[in-house]
Amino acid sequence: MSEVTVVDHPVVKRYLTILRDKTAETAPFRRAMGTIGTILAYHALDHLPLEETQIETPIQPAKGYQPASEVVVIPILRAGLSLVDGIISFMPDAKVGHVGVYRDEETHEPVNYYHNLPNGIEEAYCLLVDPMLATGGSASHALNFLKESGAKNIRFVSLISAPEGVERLQDDHPDVPIITAAIDEKLNEQAFIVPGLGDAGDRYFGTL
Ligand code: PRP
């Protein structure tokens, strides 16, 4: 069963409150998403393999470290883009791939409409990101695609997860750890997370 990390931190709770508040304007909403993205990246990269390197400090030779794998951040379009700035401000040399999946509003089934992954995905340390894990359909679909594309080392990063989505990913992809800032109560009849924050993509892009 996949490992689930809920990042329980006072600063995360504060920014989550801004994100959940329906009166939040676009600018503070984006800033909060960026800050939490950075904090989630800190946790999602905590097993990044390193190799030793030799450097010279101004005082003497010293041992240093550098990533042994490339990091590839893959947002699920559109809403996944909202976490990318925060993640790459923590890991500025990460590559960014894209997977376009939307959830059909009537069937709630995922539909794939775009993908573009960098070369070397097979050896990379991949972070699939989407702020909302609702039914888990989109994330599971995107994970199937990444695995078919050769990715082997993948973590899923979300802001808010529903218990139903966590369970779905644990069933479909038990090898993929989940890093999230909150596990909410449930899904409603429209498969929206309760209490959640509404439609993350619309709120981040100002398309409400
Ligand atoms: C939302 C969200 C996830 C998906 C979650 O995207 O950003 O991708 O739904 O739902 P699921 O876990 O039930 O699949 P949406 O389809 O609204 O597209 P958008 O990102 O373009 O707004």
Side-chain angles (χ1 to χ4, degrees):
M1 185 184 285
S2 37
E3 179 192 332
V4 182
T5 302
V6 180
V7 179
D8 188 19
H9 190 283
V11 177
V12 171
K13 283 198 165 78
R14 177 208 173 193
Y15 282 109
L16 259 179
T17 303
I18 294 170
L19 291 167
R20 289 185 191 278
D21 184 345
K22 69 176 185 184
T23 69
E25 302 282 350
T26 304
F29 188 91
R30 286 178 175 160
R31 278 198 296 274
M33 196 67 97
T35 304
I36 296 191
T38 300
I39 296 169
L40 290 170
Y42 173 89
H43 291 277
L45 293 170
D46 62 358
H47 287 86
L48 181 65
L50 294 176
E51 57 194 21
E52 280 186 21
T53 175
Q54 201 60 32
I55 53 157
E56 301 259 344
T57 77
I59 310 299
Q60 65 168 50
K63 192 164 67 176
Y65 300 93
Q66 61 186 21
S69 305
E70 262 180 344
V71 175
V72 179
V73 182
I74 305 125
I76 300 179
L77 305 178
R78 255 178 341 163
L81 290 171
S82 63
L83 289 169
V84 172
D85 280 355
I87 295 173
I88 64 176
S89 71
F90 185 62
M91 191 72 200
D93 47 4
K95 292 185 174 176
V96 181
H98 296 86
V99 178
V101 180
Y102 69 85
R103 191 173 70 162
D104 185 283
E105 287 189 1
E106 279 169 17
T107 64
H108 307 140
E109 287 300 314
V111 182
N112 210 339
Y113 64 92
Y114 180 76
H115 56 86
N116 187 328
L117 298 177
N119 291 332
I121 198 87
E122 298 84 357
E123 310 306 327
Y125 190 98
C126 300
L127 302 182
L128 179 67
V129 304
D130 192 324
M132 311 308 281
L133 176 64
T135 64
S138 305
S140 184
H141 194 74
L143 285 167
N144 285 334
F145 168 72
L146 290 185
K147 289 178 178 178
E148 283 159 16
S149 303
K152 295 180 197 74
N153 191 358
I154 316 172
R155 300 180 140 219
F156 181 72
V157 178
S158 84
L159 177 74
I160 300 179
S161 303
E164 293 89 335
V166 171
E167 202 178 310
R168 165 89 186 260
L169 284 199
Q170 288 186 317
D171 286 346
D172 293 357
H173 299 282
D175 56 313
V176 176
I178 300 169
I179 296 92
T180 187
I183 298 181
D184 274 9
E185 200 184 311
K186 59 176 183 182
L187 295 178
N188 68 13
E189 315 72 58
Q190 286 82 41
F192 269 88
I193 302 174
V194 177
L197 54 70
D199 187 313
D202 280 341
R203 294 192 65 197
Y204 185 82
F205 290 110
T207 51
L208 275 171

